[in-house]
Amino acid sequence: MIKLLIHQLKENLRDVLPWIILSFLATIILTFLNKHFDSTFLQVILVIAAFAMFLSFALSMVMVIINDYKSFYGQNAAFFDVLPIKSSGITSSRIINIMIMTFFLAILFLIELFILAGLTSGSGVIEGFKSLFILIREGFKELRLMDIGLMVLIVLSSLFSGISRITASITIGSDKTFKDLGIFGPILVYILITIVLFILSSIFAYTAIELRVFAQMTSPETDATFTVKIAQMTNNIRKIILVGSITNILFGSIQSFFTNYFHKNRLTVG
């Protein structure tokens, strides 16, 4: 599985990095030129380059998803079908691959954004990063260790749920039932899964409210009751994050199961 994951990451990096780097360099060069030359034409080109830079990250995620489809159900499927890897290993590799690429592209996007902000504001790139690190450090100081853990949990569980929905949609949508729809098969399945999960999430939320999982708010008539209300609100937020994380993990696990089931069934039938 590790070799497959490395291969997927290399393929994705090879496809997405040129677009990201070229659009970023074009934006930087045009920013410098725009500072020294007062030209409306350069300003228009700079806006287009900046838009392309931001758009490149969204397109990169689309390319990662398309690569997943091509590798296992498209033009490269014949090669990956004969790999001596269990279906569960392939499913895990697909999910981890997209998750790593999501983190990588998000971090790269923030780095480019702060570099561009530092250059345009005149404060400098280094000073901009120093201010960012100070802001992050001060923010963590105000948070409890449990709150930081809950933040990490909700981010990872949300990614797991969202990415497993994508892989499940690609796998189920590529099944013989949706074969005639082509690339629209996974899209249709994604929409159907999203609708089902929305209904289930609404039922879970309603059930949690009915069971009084979240504390009732008191009226802030005095400083003491106001403090109590803030404490109740903070506790409710923590419960919402925890319940949401558990729900994400549950949905993600179910979606991963069906991804593995349909992929394994496809290989068996094939």
Side-chain angles (χ1 to χ4, degrees):
M1 189 197 85
I2 300 299
K3 290 183 178 180
L4 174 61
L5 177 61
I6 293 174
H7 174 81
Q8 288 179 283
L9 291 172
K10 285 181 177 179
E11 182 183 36
N12 286 325
L13 291 173
R14 184 190 64 225
D15 289 343
V16 306
L17 281 181
W19 297 100
I20 294 175
I21 293 174
L22 288 175
S23 61
F24 176 65
L25 290 177
T27 304
I28 296 298
I29 293 172
L30 287 168
T31 300
F32 277 113
L33 291 176
N34 195 56
K35 284 185 177 181
H36 295 86
F37 299 98
D38 186 14
S39 171
T40 304
F41 176 74
L42 279 177
Q43 292 175 357
V44 173
I45 299 299
L46 174 60
V47 171
I48 295 174
F51 178 75
M53 185 188 80
F54 294 131
L55 187 63
S56 66
F57 289 91
L59 293 177
S60 294
M61 280 308 304
V62 173
M63 292 173 67
V64 169
I65 295 171
I66 291 176
N67 281 345
D68 181 83
Y69 172 79
K70 290 193 301 183
S71 296
F72 299 99
Y73 306 101
Q75 61 192 42
N76 300 326
F79 169 75
F80 286 94
D81 283 350
V82 297
L83 293 178
I85 304 175
K86 292 183 178 180
S87 178
S88 58
I90 292 176
T91 299
S92 300
S93 178
R94 292 171 63 193
I95 293 174
I96 295 172
N97 163 58
I98 300 178
M99 186 173 289
I100 292 175
M101 288 302 302
T102 302
F103 275 116
F104 173 76
L105 292 173
I107 293 172
L108 194 59
F109 174 78
L110 290 175
I111 292 174
E112 290 192 3
L113 186 63
F114 274 95
I115 290 175
L116 185 61
L119 292 175
T120 53
S121 64
S123 61
V125 177
I126 297 178
E127 289 299 322
F129 277 108
K130 283 183 179 179
S131 300
L132 174 63
F133 289 136
I134 291 174
L135 182 64
I136 294 175
R137 185 183 63 190
E138 294 301 319
F140 278 121
K141 284 182 179 179
E142 298 296 325
L143 293 172
R144 295 168 56 182
L145 185 61
M146 182 180 67
D147 295 329
I148 296 174
L150 285 174
M151 289 171 59
V152 173
L153 180 62
I154 190 64
V155 170
L156 291 178
S157 63
S158 297
L159 272 177
F160 174 55
S161 179
I163 292 171
S164 61
R165 189 189 314 178
I166 293 173
T167 55
S169 300
I170 292 174
T171 303
I172 299 173
S174 301
D175 190 67
K176 58 184 179 181
T177 305
F178 303 94
K179 188 176 181 180
D180 293 338
L181 296 176
I183 190 64
F184 292 103
I187 295 175
L188 175 61
V189 173
Y190 183 86
I191 294 173
L192 293 175
I193 292 177
T194 301
I195 294 173
V196 171
L197 292 185
F198 175 78
I199 295 172
L200 291 176
S201 299
S202 301
I203 294 173
F204 287 166
Y206 178 78
T207 303
I209 294 173
E210 286 294 307
L211 294 175
R212 298 185 181 275
V213 173
F214 310 115
Q216 297 290 325
M217 293 298 180
T218 58
S219 301
E221 298 173 355
T222 64
D223 292 341
T225 52
F226 179 75
T227 303
V228 170
K229 182 176 180 180
I230 294 299
Q232 290 174 338
M233 186 181 299
T234 303
N235 190 45
N236 280 345
I237 291 174
R238 290 177 183 143
K239 288 181 179 179
I240 291 171
I241 293 175
L242 183 59
V243 171
S245 299
I246 294 173
T247 304
N248 286 334
I249 294 172
L250 175 62
F251 288 165
S253 300
I254 294 173
Q255 290 165 163
S256 299
F257 170 80
F258 280 108
T259 301
N260 180 59
Y261 174 80
F262 276 87
H263 184 79
K264 186 177 182 179
N265 183 63
R266 172 179 172 273
L267 294 178
T268 303
V269 174

